[in-house]
Amino acid sequence: MSANSIYRVDKFVVPQSAREEFLQRVQQTHAVLRRQPGFIRDALLEQVAGPGRFNIVTIAEWESQGAIDAARAEVAKVHTESGFNPQETLARLGIEADIANYQALGA
């Protein structure tokens, strides 16, 4: 973990009926992210216990905000070329998303 890293944290409420399709799309998107300049690492997490609402969380660590912005543009391009609309898919599958960028707090 670098003090300058930026973390993209996406939290989702995914109905069981949408899980398989959603995870397939997430894995496809993360395959694109992993090839982008400035990508450090990622994790795909599924809730196994606890009262939280969000049952799927993805985290991607980036070298900078600029790297995130460039990756976002590349992912949008890939989605457009493949005819995939993430917002329509989330709405169709009844998935709620909470998406934000974070930095580590200094100790």
Side-chain angles (χ1 to χ4, degrees), residues 9-20:
V9 180
D10 299 354
K11 300 177 286 189
F12 302 96
V13 177
V14 181
Q16 187 61 32
S17 61
R19 183 181 179 277
E20 186 176 327

Side-chain angles (χ1 to χ4, degrees), residues 5-78:
S5 291
I6 303 288
Y7 298 85
R8 167 73 180 247
V9 180
D10 299 354
K11 300 177 286 189
F12 302 96
V13 177
V14 181
Q16 187 61 32
S17 61
R19 183 181 179 277
E20 186 176 327
E21 180 179 345
F22 176 75
L23 290 177
Q24 179 182 26
R25 290 295 188 177
V26 167
Q27 290 165 350
Q28 291 169 347
T29 298
H30 277 247
V32 174
L33 294 177
R34 291 180 190 116
R35 297 190 303 264
Q36 302 310 305
F39 173 84
I40 298 173
R41 63 183 164 188
D42 64 347
L44 173 57
L45 309 170
E46 185 167 26
Q47 181 182 23
V48 295
R53 292 183 327 110
F54 299 102
N55 57 333
I56 302 285
V57 176
T58 65
I59 302 171
E61 182 179 357
W62 296 90
E63 290 178 354
S64 67
Q65 183 62 49
I68 290 175
D69 294 342
R72 182 182 298 122
E74 182 61 24
V75 167
K77 177 183 164 194
V78 169

